[in-house]
């Protein structure tokens, strides 16, 4: 029986007739029995499938990032771009920016993700003055608003690029030059207005060049005080314009500076606490940044969540043997299982999501590679979600974990944990009880149990 197309379907068909940027690729379908060589299908991700009472789509909240997927050209510090998209005319014009945006929305619709993210400067070219830059941005943002509506796509988060322009070479909020910080503040003012207009569910600060290369020329205390003062201006303006998005800080240990102030989750949490900012911010954790800090993949996700501050995730991975931020697509089932276990344990990630801050490799030059990368990563996270749901609903690992800490539930253990005990009481107890009985940590058993679910 044929169905009457909805108004939205008609609009999309009309757009497709006028211009199609990804010809030959339709809406990506779920095909669980696909063979190994079939690439443009989901084997595990089915948006409406229920897992622990919620749809996969609700748990995973996938987002495509504009900077890598639509501005990335495959360049690296040793070579220029290798990736040429056919909608690019080689100019940095507003017209090209608009065409690129239409291509991106076709991509989102065909992939079936519901969210996207961008930096202000990804969207529209920087002009000669702030006024000209803002006018360029306004034109592209107006189109973005229209495309979001037509395609039913939402903005997971927006952010300001405060690191590419030469003016920010010493940092933005932590620059030695107050004039530069003032410029950054003016840029962020506009960024918040754009975020509000497009309904951004979050607003991210990644401290691009907020850090130091040499302690000899850096007053670290002054720079961190300025960073906090900058955030206080942000909070005041956000409240003034009634923008309701969640503010997020994205930790990174190094690159481009030798030491980034937002080193890792614990460093950012201490900073927020020190400057009384905790209630205004959560964290956007990027596992490739976590591994750069020398931690295991899921470390910062777990630490931020443990303090109720895990706001969103830049779902990617690196090659820890390299020690660079390579922003690869997450393809490791174990890592994604661990992340999703934390996400389920904290009751979900909304209003954050899983943003693919990842780029196809310099050698992956075909248009379809962009689809394959996202599909495979979405499938990996869908597997992670299902595995994590099994771990949680069977409860075997949680039981084993709780068993390790049983001594804290009663007696002096409970009194210490509750802040009611004293050193004298502890001394008395030990004089009576003597040495603790050694207990195994059973690490290998925990590892084997995890493998059971993968
Ligand atoms: C850089 C990085 C950024 C932020 C947004 O390493 O992760 O793309 O996510 O500025
Ligand atoms: Co990121």
């Amino acid at each position: 029986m044929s169905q009457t197309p909805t108004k939205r379907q008609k609009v999309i068909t009309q757009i497709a007739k006028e211009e199609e940027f990804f010809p030959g690729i339709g809406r990506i379908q779920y095909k669980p029995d696909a063979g190994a060589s079939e690439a443009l299908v989901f084997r595990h991700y089915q948006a409406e499938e229920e897992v622990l009472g919620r749809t996969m789509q609700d748990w995973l909240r996938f987002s495509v990032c504009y900077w890598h997927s639509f501005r990335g050209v495959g360049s690296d510090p040793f070579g220029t771009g290798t990736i040429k998209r056919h909608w690019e005319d080689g100019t940095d014009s507003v017209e090209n920016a608009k065409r690129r945006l239409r291509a991106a929305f076709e991509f989102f619709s065909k992939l079936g993700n519901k969210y996207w993210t961008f930096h202000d400067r990804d969207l529209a070219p920087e002009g000669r003055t702030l006024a000209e830059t803002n006018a360029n941005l306004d034109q592209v943002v107006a189109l973005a608003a229209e495309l979001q509506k037509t395609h039913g796509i939402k903005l997971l988060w927006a952010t300001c690029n405060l690191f590419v322009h030469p003016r920010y070479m010493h940092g933005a909020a932590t620059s030695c030059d107050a004039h530069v910080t003032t410029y950054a503040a003016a840029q962020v003012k506009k960024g918040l207005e754009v975020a509000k207009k497009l309904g951004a569910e979050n607003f991210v600060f990644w401290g691009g060049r907020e850090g130091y290369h040499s302690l000899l020329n850096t007053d670290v205390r002054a720079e961190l005080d300025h960073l906090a003062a900058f955030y206080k201006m942000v909070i005041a303006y956000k409240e003034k314009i009634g923008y309701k998005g969640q503010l997020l800080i994205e930790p990174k240990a190094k690159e481009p500076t030798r030491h980034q102030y937002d080193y890792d989750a614990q460093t950012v949490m201490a900073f927020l606490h020190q400057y009384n900012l905790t209630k205004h911010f959560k964290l956007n954790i990027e596992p490739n940044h976590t591994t750069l800090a020398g931690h295991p993949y899921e470390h910062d996700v777990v630490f931020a969540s443990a303090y109720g501050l895990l706001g969103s995730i830049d779902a990617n991975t690196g090659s820890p043997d390299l020690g660079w931020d390579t922003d690869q697509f997450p393809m490791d089932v174990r890592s994604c299982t661990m992340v999703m276990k934390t996400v389920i344990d904290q009751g979900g990630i909304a209003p954050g999501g899983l943003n693919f801050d990842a780029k196809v490799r310099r050698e992956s030059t075909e248009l379809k590679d962009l689809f394959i990368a996202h599909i495979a990563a979405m499938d990996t996270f869908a597997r992670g979600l299902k595995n994590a749901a099994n771990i949680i609903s069977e409860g075997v690992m949680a039981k084993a974990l709780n068993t390790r800490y049983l001594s804290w539930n009663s007696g002096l253990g409970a009194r210490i944990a509750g802040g009611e005990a004293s050193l004298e009481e502890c001394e008395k107890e030990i004089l009576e009880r003597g040495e603790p009985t050694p207990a195994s940590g059973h690490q290998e058993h925990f590892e084997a149990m995890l493998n059971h679910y993968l």
Side-chain angles (χ1 to χ4, degrees), residues 128-191:
R128 279 162 306 173
T129 62
L130 183 64
E132 202 178 296
T133 305
N134 287 350
N136 289 347
L137 190 56
D138 283 340
Q139 282 195 58
V140 187
V141 165
L143 176 64
E146 212 179 293
L147 290 167
Q148 285 192 167
K149 211 165 149 206
T150 316
H151 290 266
I153 303 283
K154 296 189 212 165
L155 185 55
L156 185 69
W157 52 261
T159 186
C160 287
N161 185 322
L162 304 173
F163 46 93
V164 162
H165 195 282
R167 82 173 73 85
Y168 295 127
M169 65 181 166
H170 302 290
T174 66
S175 172
C176 48
D177 182 354
H179 192 160
V180 173
T181 301
T182 310
Y183 204 111
Q187 187 177 331
V188 169
K189 173 180 178 288
K190 179 71 178 174

Side-chain angles (χ1 to χ4, degrees), residues 55-72:
T55 63
M56 281 196 170
Q57 183 165 263
D58 282 353
W59 282 120
L60 296 162
R61 296 172 61 83
F62 289 130
S63 163
V64 173
C65 89
Y66 199 66
W67 54 99
H68 286 314
S69 290
F70 288 88
R71 301 309 310 268

Side-chain angles (χ1 to χ4, degrees), residues 269 271-282 309:
M269 292 191 290
F271 167 85
L272 292 174
H273 198 67
Q274 170 80 27
Y275 292 98
N276 272 326
L277 290 165
T278 307
K279 76 171 171 29
H280 301 282
F281 286 89
K282 285 191 175 181
L309 290 176

Side-chain angles (χ1 to χ4, degrees), residues 100-253:
R100 180 188 298 130
L101 195 64
R102 291 197 299 273
F105 274 79
E106 181 186 320
F107 179 80
F108 307 153
S109 288
K110 288 183 167 174
L111 186 64
N113 67 296
K114 284 277 166 264
Y115 292 92
W116 68 307
T117 52
F118 63 76
H119 297 83
D120 48 1
R121 300 296 174 256
D122 305 334
L123 278 193
E126 183 136 9
R128 279 162 306 173
T129 62
L130 183 64
E132 202 178 296
T133 305
N134 287 350
N136 289 347
L137 190 56
D138 283 340
Q139 282 195 58
V140 187
V141 165
L143 176 64
E146 212 179 293
L147 290 167
Q148 285 192 167
K149 211 165 149 206
T150 316
H151 290 266
I153 303 283
K154 296 189 212 165
L155 185 55
L156 185 69
W157 52 261
T159 186
C160 287
N161 185 322
L162 304 173
F163 46 93
V164 162
H165 195 282
R167 82 173 73 85
Y168 295 127
M169 65 181 166
H170 302 290
T174 66
S175 172
C176 48
D177 182 354
H179 192 160
V180 173
T181 301
T182 310
Y183 204 111
Q187 187 177 331
V188 169
K189 173 180 178 288
K190 179 71 178 174
L192 290 168
E193 291 161 10
V194 164
K196 183 178 178 208
K197 184 167 170 40
L198 293 178
E201 299 190 14
N202 304 268
F203 192 90
V204 166
F205 291 90
W206 168 58
R209 291 184 193 273
E210 318 294 16
Y212 70 79
H213 283 293
S214 169
L215 285 172
L216 293 175
N217 69 357
T218 307
D219 182 342
V220 292
R221 180 62 198 255
E223 293 199 357
L224 285 161
D225 285 352
H226 298 162
L227 183 57
F230 190 91
Y231 285 142
K232 287 184 180 160
M233 291 197 285
V234 168
I235 293 161
Y237 191 64
K238 174 182 184 269
E239 280 165 8
K240 184 171 176 188
I241 64 173
Y243 169 53
K244 300 273 182 274
Q246 171 68 53
L247 299 177
L248 299 170
I249 295 180
E250 181 176 329
K252 186 173 184 181

Side-chain angles (χ1 to χ4, degrees), residues 67-68 157 206 250 284 286 289 314 316 325 327 355 357:
W67 54 99
H68 286 314
W157 52 261
W206 168 58
E250 181 176 329
N284 179 40
E286 177 168 324
H289 296 175
D314 267 5
N316 70 1
D325 188 19
D327 290 327
N355 173 50
D357 187 353

